[in-house]
Amino acid sequence: MRAAVVRTFGGPEAVEVVEAEVPEPRAREVRIKVAASALNPVDAGTRSGAFGGAGKQVGLGWDVAGTVDAVGVATAWNVGDEVVALDYGMTKPVGAHAEYVVVPTDAVALAPATADAVHAATLPLNALTAAQGLDLLEPAPGRSLLVTGAAGAVGGYVVQLAAHQGVSVTALAREGDEEFVRSLGAAHFASGGVAPAGFDAVFDAAVLGERALEWVRDGGAYVGVIPQAQPAPVRGVRTSAVEVAADGARLAELVRLVDEGVLTLRVAETYSLEEAVKAHVRQAEGGVRGRLVIVP
């Protein structure tokens, strides 16, 4: 099978499409024939060597939408099931940017009934990050939440999930994104990298760090999206960072919200697997609204 990998670290040019063995599922694993897989910032980090793996082949891709085509023992999934999954791992030899991928059975959920595979592939990593980050903040209905990078893939899901929970959301984004983030459920809008202070919580999807921490009220809460890189606590503010985990049951809840129209799946552009370098170049250029998706 074909897979996008890096064997030397660097920019987009470091990405290679190579031949690899089709993986076989073991106990409590399933193999998915990949229909689509989103490209995420974590893939750029992997490509550049931020997570290690020097001297090894490192696979790219965490998101997968496709069809179960082989199962190991002790799994409830069946060949032919249309699914989505998070293929978690920083330095795996082959990732989800491939024709086939093997994942743990408890990382899998049925695919949305209302979306095609390309759109479904944008859900697992970003929506799980949003949901698990909100768990750390523990926002309550009526409380105030500032979301930085609210028009981005993670930030957009945070806005929708929090608004669905009855939280008063202020979206911090570019001026031209106001109409969009309000359509996601933001009650208030801020731009120019400046927001008022006094929020009960901040979800810092834009990685502003200490600047975003200043906008949290004394005794509030802050969550970032880079594990173990959150700013130090001040003024009694509880700080943390979400480290996403594969969770098929939670992913199934998010799929349900997609089918109910609560969550919006956004695709910016699609690329073939052979065009993986072009996809990485486009991501590096910035300004992408939605996710770039690779189709094997």
Side-chain angles (χ1 to χ4, degrees):
M1 71 168 187
R2 297 164 301 145
V5 304
V6 291
R7 292 186 284 196
T8 58
F9 298 134
E13 73 284 348
V15 177
E16 304 177 58
V17 177
V18 302
E19 289 293 328
E21 291 187 8
V22 176
E24 294 295 332
R26 297 172 296 185
R28 295 181 295 280
E29 292 182 336
V30 301
R31 185 173 70 206
I32 300 171
K33 180 175 174 57
V34 179
S37 180
L39 177 65
N40 290 283
V42 68
D43 296 307
T46 299
R47 187 195 70 222
S48 66
F51 308 121
K56 301 177 181 178
Q57 173 177 296
V58 181
L60 301 168
W62 289 50
D63 284 316
V64 59
T67 306
V68 173
D69 90 316
V71 298
V73 298
T75 174
W77 296 102
N78 299 304
V79 171
D81 286 340
E82 300 292 329
V83 296
V84 289
L86 180 68
D87 180 25
Y88 178 90
M90 299 292 185
T91 57
K92 55 210 172 188
V94 175
H97 293 170
E99 293 182 284
Y100 296 89
V101 65
V102 166
V103 297
T105 185
D106 58 4
V108 181
L110 286 174
T114 56
D116 59 25
V118 170
H119 284 80
T122 66
L123 182 71
L125 176 58
N126 294 289
L128 282 170
T129 299
Q132 292 170 3
L134 283 171
D135 288 346
L136 295 174
L137 289 177
E138 301 178 329
R143 304 303 290 271
S144 60
L145 170 69
L146 174 68
V147 181
T148 73
V154 172
Y157 284 135
V158 175
V159 172
Q160 290 187 304
L161 288 169
H164 184 63
Q165 295 171 17
V167 177
S168 177
V169 178
T170 296
L172 180 64
R174 297 176 183 175
E175 191 69 43
D177 289 322
E178 179 174 2
E179 181 179 353
F180 171 68
V181 295
R182 286 189 181 276
S183 76
L184 299 179
H188 309 284
F189 177 75
S191 65
V194 178
F199 289 95
D200 294 314
V202 169
F203 195 118
D204 188 19
V207 197
L208 301 180
E210 292 183 357
R211 182 150 57 102
L213 185 61
E214 295 174 359
W215 299 326
V216 185
R217 66 164 173 79
D218 293 357
Y222 165 102
V223 68
V225 293
I226 301 180
Q228 299 164 350
Q230 68 268 25
V234 294
R235 300 180 286 104
V237 176
R238 175 171 51 87
T239 65
S240 58
V242 57
E243 183 167 358
V244 70
D247 184 339
R250 190 63 176 281
L251 185 55
E253 295 176 10
L254 296 167
V255 167
R256 177 179 57 81
L257 293 177
V258 170
D259 286 337
E260 292 177 356
V262 174
L263 295 181
T264 303
L265 305 174
R266 292 185 287 154
V267 174
E269 301 172 36
T270 59
Y271 295 83
S272 68
L273 188 58
E274 287 76 10
E275 295 174 314
V277 171
K278 290 183 179 180
H280 279 254
V281 169
R282 177 66 189 93
Q283 184 187 58
E285 291 171 348
V288 178
R289 285 293 176 262
R291 280 285 174 247
L292 307 175
V293 178
I294 292 176
V295 179

